[in-house]
Amino acid sequence: MDIRYSCNQRDFKRYTTEEIRREFLIENLFAPDAVSAVYSHVDRMVTLGVMPVHEKVPLDKGIDVWKNFGTHYFLERRELGLFNVGGAGRVTVDGAVYELGYKDCLYITMGAKDVCFESVSPDAPAKFYIVSAPAHTAYETKLIKIADAAKKPLGSLETSNKRVINQFIHPDVLKTCQLSMGMTVLEPGSVWNTMPAHTHERRMEVYFYFEVPKDNVVFHMMGEGQETRHIVMQNEQAVISPSWSIHAGAGTSNYTFIWAMGGENQAFDDMDVIPTTRLR
């Protein structure tokens, strides 16, 4: 497991491009029959990628759970949310089997002991993108299909940000301890997300960009509103966004991204908006 430690905004101002990428960018999430994991000390969020091909892959494959979490199993004191961004797949949670198609979501509650992933066909393997947060209470493991997500259209073609926010792991859909996750889909001709830029002091986020067409990139904006930086990101990469950082971006094409939040609350209007003309 790759361990990332917290960075403060004062030191961040002096980071080079290489240092920013090393601290915040998550690359190479999907490897055949493996679990890729990054533990961030920003709110102790864990970002994982699992791509089962020929095997049934357990959640803790290759992870020393006691060393990294001090618990007997991965979800003893954690919850997680996952999306399938590949071919058809299955997730088994303590004997219960959940079938996930493309863009379907599964919330797994604290206390689940046996979690395994598999693909329906090795020729079109599933890709499970996962984010896990600390938890204190067990709720209900639940499958949310893309068709059942709460859909919130926003933006316009005139401002290049026409998009639909799909809320999956969200207080209006199901109860969780602190984890919230959803998926924002930009329409053709739109490239901007999450404007106006903002921060939320009481929550952090992880962004996962996918459906980025070949030879295209997304410029992910981060840093303080008056001291911005950017990371150039490619398809199926994620980025860690601390509470003091803005999190917005523009692509050379339309794309889709999954947002995951964790922290003190789940109030989605709890944000400090920065007028676009005040960004520096």
Side-chain angles (χ1 to χ4, degrees):
M1 182 177 286
D2 183 9
I3 308 294
R4 308 281 181 92
Y5 290 91
S6 299
C7 164
N8 68 67
Q9 59 269 50
R10 295 177 299 278
D11 292 343
F12 178 74
K13 295 177 183 180
R14 298 188 291 271
Y15 277 24
T16 64
T17 297
E18 180 183 354
E19 289 171 323
I20 292 173
R21 293 176 68 85
R22 185 169 63 242
E23 292 296 327
F24 299 101
L25 180 63
I26 301 174
E27 303 176 274
N28 305 318
L29 273 165
F30 301 111
D33 296 320
V35 176
S36 301
V38 174
Y39 186 116
S40 172
H41 279 270
V42 180
D43 286 296
R44 298 190 179 276
M45 299 287 271
V46 181
T47 304
L48 308 99
V50 182
M51 187 175 72
V53 180
H54 301 289
E55 300 177 11
K56 192 172 183 179
V57 179
L59 175 62
D60 60 356
K61 183 177 182 179
I63 298 173
D64 187 332
V65 175
W66 180 259
K67 176 182 177 181
N68 288 291
F69 304 116
T71 57
H72 297 93
Y73 55 95
F74 195 108
L75 294 177
E76 183 176 345
R77 297 181 62 84
R78 287 186 159 269
E79 58 186 354
L80 70 75
L82 64 87
F83 283 83
N84 181 13
V85 296
R90 299 186 187 96
V91 182
T92 303
V93 182
D94 291 338
V97 179
Y98 300 89
E99 304 279 349
L100 279 81
Y102 188 57
K103 294 185 177 179
D104 289 342
C105 173
L106 179 66
Y107 168 76
I108 305 179
T109 186
M110 182 190 81
K113 291 184 178 180
D114 184 15
V115 180
C116 290
F117 306 91
E118 59 184 317
S119 295
V120 172
S121 170
D123 296 325
K127 294 180 179 179
F128 297 104
Y129 171 70
I130 306 165
V131 177
S132 173
H136 58 274
T137 300
Y139 288 104
E140 178 186 0
T141 294
K142 185 175 181 180
L143 174 66
I144 309 111
K145 294 286 189 176
I146 178 65
D148 299 324
K151 294 174 171 56
K152 308 293 183 183
L154 286 176
S156 68
L157 287 175
E158 288 76 13
T159 50
S160 302
N161 65 353
K162 190 174 184 181
R163 62 200 189 276
V164 176
I165 298 176
N166 296 271
Q167 297 170 337
F168 288 82
I169 301 174
H170 183 279
D172 293 341
V173 180
L174 79 163
K175 287 186 177 181
T176 67
C177 288
Q178 65 161 315
L179 184 66
S180 298
M181 293 183 75
M183 177 189 301
T184 300
V185 181
L186 277 73
E187 295 197 7
S190 289
V191 296
W192 280 100
N193 68 63
T194 322
M195 281 294 181
H198 59 272
T199 60
H200 23 75
E201 184 63 27
R202 290 148 292 277
R203 296 194 304 276
M204 64 82 73
E205 289 201 46
V206 180
Y207 270 27
F208 170 76
Y209 291 98
F210 71 112
E211 294 189 325
V212 180
K214 183 181 179 181
D215 299 326
N216 285 267
V217 298
V218 176
F219 289 78
H220 179 82
M221 312 299 178
M222 63 181 305
E224 294 179 286
Q226 306 302 308
E227 190 82 31
T228 62
R229 301 290 187 271
H230 71 267
I231 297 181
V232 179
M233 299 183 61
Q234 298 187 29
N235 190 43
E236 296 183 348
Q237 294 181 345
V239 61
I240 299 165
S241 180
S243 61
W244 47 262
S245 176
I246 66 169
H247 34 283
T252 56
S253 171
N254 62 306
Y255 52 91
T256 302
F257 70 97
I258 295 169
W259 42 268
M261 291 191 285
E264 297 292 338
N265 65 28
Q266 294 177 311
F268 279 74
D269 58 353
D270 180 14
M271 62 182 70
D272 300 312
V273 172
I274 303 169
T276 304
T277 54
R278 291 186 57 198
L279 293 171
R280 299 289 184 269

